[in-house]
Amino acid sequence: MPRFFINHTSPSEICVDHIGVEFSSLEAAYLDTCEAALAIAFEKLHERQDPTRDAFEIIDEKQNLLMQVPFSEVLRPAAMTTKQANTLAFENCRRQIARSERLKDDIRAELTRTRGIFDAIRANLSPLRPV
């Protein structure tokens, strides 16, 4: 059975699933994800938090994004107007752009840290070079 990884994204954090779960199909993973979204949404509502900006990402074993499941779609499954669908799509794009910016910042910080380590290694090795 294929293994799927279900990442939970919210405006303040991204929880990455490193273990994954085996499902018989993408549809089975989607249905289970919808149930989990409802459960988490109810918990957030109980804590007076807005769950409509959260989402799940279903990712395959090759780290390909297969599907994004916004909590807002699970909480409001009725047909949306075109304006609502466009607003939701815009919000999803904004969320993805913000996530990309955070990831770029993380990569830049890691690159800076790695350059510092290499500079320290070069400094330690320079006295050992033959003249």
Side-chain angles (χ1 to χ4, degrees):
M1 281 203 301
R3 181 172 294 274
F4 297 93
F5 299 85
I6 315 296
N7 298 334
H8 177 223
T9 64
S10 69
S12 60
E13 67 180 329
I14 299 170
C15 297
V16 178
D17 177 6
H18 296 287
I19 299 169
V21 179
E22 290 183 350
F23 290 103
S24 59
S25 65
L26 177 58
E27 181 181 7
Y30 171 76
L31 293 173
D32 189 73
T33 300
C34 287
E35 288 181 27
L38 283 173
I40 292 172
F42 289 136
E43 287 178 25
K44 285 192 147 203
L45 287 170
H46 183 71
E47 296 170 2
R48 299 200 180 278
Q49 297 175 4
D50 180 13
T52 59
R53 296 174 57 202
D54 290 19
F56 278 126
E57 297 173 337
I58 302 176
I59 302 193
D60 67 9
E61 293 177 295
K62 295 178 183 176
Q63 299 302 305
N64 296 313
L65 176 63
L66 302 176
M67 183 179 292
Q68 188 171 33
V69 183
F71 283 27
S72 58
E73 286 181 14
V74 176
L75 294 171
R76 286 181 258 147
M80 290 187 220
T81 66
T82 303
K83 183 178 177 182
Q84 290 171 324
N86 289 341
T87 301
L88 182 60
F90 178 75
E91 179 62 32
N92 286 338
C93 287
R94 237 172 20 100
R95 185 181 308 127
Q96 290 300 328
I97 290 168
R99 178 181 182 206
S100 296
E101 292 301 320
R102 286 192 304 269
L103 291 173
K104 284 194 309 189
D105 290 343
D106 290 347
I107 290 171
R108 282 189 193 108
E110 187 64 26
L111 185 58
T112 300
R113 189 180 74 77
T114 303
R115 284 183 180 144
I117 291 170
F118 283 145
D119 290 344
I121 290 171
R122 279 192 203 102
N124 287 336
L125 291 176
S126 65
L128 302 176
R129 290 189 184 150
V131 181

